[in-house]
Amino acid sequence: MCDPHVIETVKRRMLSRRDLFRASAAGAAAVAVGGGLTARPVLAQPASRVIDLTHTLRPDFPTYFGTPQYSAEQIFNFAEHGFNLKELSINEHTGTHIDAPLHFAADGMSIDEIPVEQLVCPLVVVDIREKAAADADAQVTPEDLRAWIAAHGPIPAGACVAQLSGWQERVMGDGFRNADEDGVMHFPGFHVEAVQMLLEEADVAGVGVDTLSIDFGPSADFITHYTWLPEGRWALEAMANLDQLPPTGATLVVGAPKHQGGTGGPARLIALL
């Protein structure tokens, strides 16, 4: 880390530059107002609603293996050092996160290799809350996908197809992992035949779930992961707030991490309507 004298010099320079920027910004604002223009940037195609599909990551967030996968240590603090800095320890597959193809493939794309144009896409929401309420082991099936298509039309090219099971209501309780006395978890996911249908009949970039895994809880072979990811597709797990979205019409922005050779990582997911 920097020598304290160096830090103090940098801070003084930052303050002088900040004053300059403030003066420049004030001048620009005056010009904008005088010319009848808004000082705030305008999106080319503004969204009427922006919805966060991300859970806040915290040390006690439930994990697939049941043990903590995230920690943060305060290394520098403002009172003593004039700035805040934390050192993080994070499992790639914790919290709201993305699975890269490499996660379940010997030579699949790593997280930094996923084309960025795949990470902004139409979002399809398949609502299975009714059957998930009746059966914790419910899965998205080809029949669910066909019913969605019958009601809303073809799945858009390059879309992410997301499962809405209502599981986020359990997120900070034991019911999210929903493990029985033998340690077997019970929560919804994608049936392997559903992802096979998406591979064969639709041009889909990714799938997503509001649970811990795209394979349903009791899975012992991860067949959905092994079928989907090696085909160059990605997956999102532990999505939030899907119940605030319509079945179709939203655009998903996947704020994926970009670390070399990564198999996935925590992601900020944003829906635009």
Side-chain angles (χ1 to χ4, degrees):
M1 193 60 190
C2 298
D3 181 272
H5 296 293
V6 176
I7 293 176
E8 189 60 34
T9 300
V10 171
K11 285 170 63 179
R12 287 198 298 270
R13 290 177 179 173
M14 289 176 64
L15 288 172
S16 63
R17 290 180 67 191
R18 188 177 303 160
D19 292 338
L20 175 63
F21 291 151
R22 284 173 177 166
S24 299
V31 171
V33 172
L37 301 175
T38 174
R40 182 177 179 178
V42 178
L43 294 174
Q45 295 180 333
S48 60
R49 294 176 63 201
V50 179
I51 298 173
D52 193 349
L53 305 183
T54 318
H55 290 291
T56 298
L57 185 56
R58 41 191 277 188
D60 59 347
F61 193 89
T63 66
Y64 188 88
F65 297 106
T67 55
Q69 295 180 176
Y70 165 77
S71 63
E73 180 183 358
Q74 186 92 31
I75 304 298
F76 295 93
N77 64 76
F78 195 86
E80 295 181 57
H81 309 104
F83 63 96
N84 292 306
L85 185 151
K86 293 182 179 180
E87 185 172 273
L88 308 181
S89 176
I90 306 174
N91 183 301
E92 288 179 311
H93 301 274
T94 191
T96 301
H97 68 275
I98 182 172
D99 287 1
L102 183 61
H103 186 35
F104 272 76
D107 57 355
M109 283 189 298
S110 58
I111 192 65
D112 55 308
E113 294 173 330
I114 297 176
V116 69
E117 56 268 23
Q118 289 189 12
L119 300 175
V120 180
C121 61
L123 181 59
V124 164
V125 180
V126 180
D127 190 343
I128 63 164
R129 283 178 290 184
E130 185 174 347
K131 69 178 186 178
D135 179 9
D137 295 334
Q139 298 181 74
V140 175
T141 64
E143 289 71 27
D144 294 314
L145 297 178
R146 293 190 184 100
W148 190 98
I149 292 169
H152 306 289
I155 294 173
C160 173
V161 178
Q163 160 202 284
L164 169 58
S165 70
W167 225 247
Q168 81 161 43
E169 297 177 7
R170 308 173 177 226
V171 69
M172 294 311 297
D174 293 338
F176 197 67
R177 294 183 77 250
N178 202 28
D180 61 24
E181 59 186 15
D182 296 320
V184 177
M185 292 179 288
H186 298 274
F187 54 73
F190 273 82
H191 194 283
V192 64
E193 292 179 359
V195 295
Q196 287 172 334
M197 175 181 167
L198 292 175
L199 289 171
E200 295 168 2
E201 302 180 21
D203 178 18
V204 173
V207 296
V209 293
D210 52 359
T211 57
L212 283 170
S213 173
I214 60 171
D215 278 279
F216 77 145
S219 175
D221 57 11
F222 298 103
I223 186 60
T224 298
H225 276 85
Y226 278 116
T227 300
W228 184 250
L229 295 177
E231 294 296 324
R233 270 60 170 192
W234 45 261
L236 303 172
E237 294 172 331
M239 300 179 74
N241 299 325
L242 289 170
D243 58 341
Q244 297 184 28
L245 299 176
T248 186
T251 296
L252 173 67
V253 180
V254 181
K258 194 178 181 182
H259 52 291
Q260 187 175 33
T263 70
R268 189 68 178 264
L269 309 181
I270 300 168
L272 307 176
L273 281 171

